[in-house]
Amino acid sequence: MPQATTVAAERGADARRARKAVIAGGIGNFIEWYDYGVYAALSPVLSKLFFPAADPVTSTLASFAVFGVGFVVRPLGGLFFGQLGDRRGRRTALGLALIMVSLSTFAMGVLPTYSQLGLFAPLLLVALRLIQGFSAGGEWTGSATLMVENATDGRRGWVASWQQFSVIVGQLAGILIVTVITNVWSEQVLRDWAWRLPFVIALVLGVVGFYIRFRMEDTPHFQKLQKQDIVAAAPTRESLRTQRRAMAAAFLFVALPNVGFYTFLTYMPTFLNQEGGLALSDAYAVNLVGMAIYAVLTPVVGRLSDRYGRRPMLIAHAIGFLVLAYPIYLLLAQGSFTLALAMQLPALLLMSLYAGPGTAAITEMFPTRLRYSSLALPYNLSSALFGGTAPFVSTWLIATFHSPLAPAFYTMVVAVPTLLVYLKLRETAHEPLRDA
């Protein structure tokens, strides 16, 4: 009986530690992608405030170019925070990343517009996006590492899926707030001052998140390395020497998910408004419903991946986009609110087949000693190349080929190398984490 009580107590402690990791890791992700959601949802407004031009396509391209510029420095942020996280601990790196994103997002909300400051306004906007991008370089990979290393064997898919859940809910919250203010106030009021509100809120969220993160201990796996005195002295250099093959696979692993996420979720309100002819409020409403579906499905699929494995779901994710991207875009472009709403389900079901198992699967590819650094560089390079450019590329392809279906073919092309990586992936759902 005492032995059974001890086992139950240990399981309870493990569950509490995992819950704390989910909250501590998720809060930074929430703020980071809350900002991305707000910026993307407000892009039709921001493009006119910061990039006024006679041609609306030119303004939109400029707005999405600034959205993408933050991704340019994400690999640098990944190098910095990956090195810091593997040498000094996950908590230290994640605390600094949270401070940077909270302050830069708040600053965006008090930024003068082009009419008030001229050319300096978009230049300052670019500078703030660079800071946000740099901090994001350590946020996603750091929170993924934090959650996976605090999860028990057999539950890593479930625990890590909440990392992606926090990303989705962050964007969902951003889009929800934009949806509310576009319905409450007129377009003129929105342009005058109401657009600032969503950005200013980030400061309050950042204070709460900072408090939560610094009350948490580092992960048991990292503490084990510290006790054994085998923490990597130069983790990035060692990763590039010993983890090259896994890092190359990780780069392509997230190529399709990045394109899917930043087109079907970030770019979609603009697409539905400009190509489908839906009112902005209807476009935001469609995206809002889709995000909610995505958020609900992600932990469910994550738990299923613990039982049935990561590979089957990841493979279905890539094949699904190869087959269904064209018909999904075809129906989204019809200008029907009902059709657009209906198409969210298959698109986001396919996305959830990555979001559920993907965080655990890609994190399990690397040993604890080098995990943060090994994951940060390829993930952020892929995000910069395929994610941050996705809204810009989609807008450019449509303008160049005069077809709203052009982004579908882009998605299908990117799906091919990602599928090849999934097919060669070793199943890690039922294996313990490697520490060294």
Side-chain angles (χ1 to χ4, degrees):
M1 187 68 176
Q3 185 177 1
T5 304
T6 301
V7 171
E10 289 177 351
R11 288 178 178 173
D14 289 342
R16 286 192 296 274
R17 188 179 69 243
R19 282 196 296 270
K20 288 180 181 178
V22 166
I23 296 170
I27 187 69
N29 270 318
F30 179 92
I31 297 171
E32 193 81 56
W33 274 266
Y34 164 84
D35 166 66
Y36 280 78
V38 168
Y39 186 95
L42 282 173
S43 61
V45 177
L46 297 177
S47 63
K48 297 172 183 176
L49 291 174
F50 288 90
F51 309 98
D55 180 13
V57 173
T58 302
S59 294
T60 301
L61 282 171
S63 178
F64 279 134
V66 173
F67 175 82
V69 79
F71 287 79
V72 174
V73 295
R74 279 181 66 163
L76 296 177
L79 284 171
F80 174 81
F81 286 104
Q83 184 92 349
L84 182 64
D86 278 336
R87 291 185 62 190
R88 303 297 182 187
R90 289 47 169 136
R91 189 183 70 164
T92 301
L94 286 169
L96 180 57
L98 183 61
I99 292 171
M100 292 178 68
V101 69
S102 301
L103 291 178
S104 57
T105 303
F106 170 78
M108 194 174 290
V110 296
L111 198 63
T113 63
Y114 188 91
S115 63
Q116 297 167 321
L117 201 61
L119 186 59
F120 286 104
L123 290 177
L124 287 172
L125 183 63
V126 169
L128 292 174
R129 289 291 301 140
L130 288 172
I131 295 172
Q132 289 170 339
F134 189 86
S135 64
E139 184 59 53
W140 193 97
T141 49
S143 60
T145 299
L146 182 75
M147 292 186 193
V148 166
E149 290 180 1
N150 275 292
T152 55
D153 292 344
R155 294 181 66 85
R156 290 195 302 267
W158 164 252
V159 171
S161 68
W162 292 97
Q163 191 264 6
Q164 195 67 17
F165 177 89
S166 66
V167 170
I168 302 162
V169 172
Q171 278 220 336
L172 179 61
I175 294 169
L176 177 60
I177 287 179
V178 173
T179 302
V180 169
I181 65 175
T182 53
N183 280 280
V184 169
W185 287 296
S186 66
E187 188 171 341
Q188 185 59 49
V189 173
L190 188 64
R191 291 183 187 181
D192 287 345
W193 60 269
W195 68 271
R196 299 181 183 276
L197 293 177
F199 294 107
V200 173
I201 293 171
L203 187 62
V204 178
L205 298 173
V207 171
V208 174
F210 186 81
Y211 174 78
I212 292 172
R213 280 192 172 172
F214 271 82
R215 282 175 56 87
M216 185 174 182
E217 294 181 349
D218 232 311
T219 72
H221 289 269
F222 185 78
Q223 290 184 46
K224 181 180 176 182
L225 295 183
Q226 289 179 313
K227 289 176 182 177
Q228 295 175 348
D229 197 24
I230 56 172
V231 173
T236 301
R237 188 184 309 161
E238 188 175 340
S239 295
L240 291 170
R241 189 178 69 252
T242 64
Q243 305 295 318
R244 284 195 299 268
R245 181 172 295 183
M247 290 171 76
F251 174 80
L252 295 174
F253 185 105
V254 291
L256 175 62
N258 271 310
V259 171
F261 188 92
Y262 289 104
T263 52
F264 283 101
L265 297 174
T266 303
Y267 170 66
M268 195 48 59
T270 300
F271 178 87
L272 292 174
N273 174 243
Q274 295 187 349
E275 306 305 324
L278 293 184
L280 269 179
S281 57
D282 287 342
Y284 291 146
V286 168
N287 214 34
L288 194 64
V289 172
M291 295 284 279
I293 294 170
Y294 189 23
V296 170
L297 287 173
T298 293
V300 174
V301 179
R303 189 68 188 103
L304 290 174
S305 77
D306 283 328
R307 179 174 298 181
Y308 301 108
R310 325 284 192 219
R311 287 183 73 251
M313 297 173 188
L314 292 170
I315 291 169
H317 161 72
I319 292 176
F321 272 119
L322 268 173
V323 175
L324 296 176
Y326 182 85
I328 288 173
Y329 268 98
L330 180 64
L331 294 174
L332 286 172
Q334 297 304 306
S336 165
F337 177 81
T338 304
L339 270 180
L341 203 59
M343 283 302 98
Q344 291 282 20
L345 183 58
L348 296 176
L349 175 59
L350 290 176
M351 283 300 300
S352 70
L353 291 175
Y354 161 80
T359 301
I362 194 171
T363 310
E364 290 163 347
M365 293 168 65
F366 303 102
T368 301
R369 190 166 182 271
L370 304 170
R371 183 167 292 124
Y372 205 149
S373 298
S374 298
L375 180 58
L377 186 58
Y379 175 83
N380 286 296
L381 281 172
S382 189
S383 295
L385 182 61
F386 297 106
T389 61
F392 182 91
V393 168
S394 296
T395 303
W396 180 83
L397 286 172
I398 291 169
T400 300
F401 294 100
H402 307 289
S403 171
L405 304 181
F409 295 104
Y410 178 59
T411 303
M412 293 161 69
V413 168
V414 176
V416 174
T418 296
L419 175 59
L420 293 176
V421 169
Y422 293 163
L423 289 170
K424 294 180 179 180
L425 190 69
R426 192 181 86 251
E427 183 59 73
T428 54
H430 312 298
E431 298 178 359
L433 281 180
R434 292 181 295 137
D435 281 331

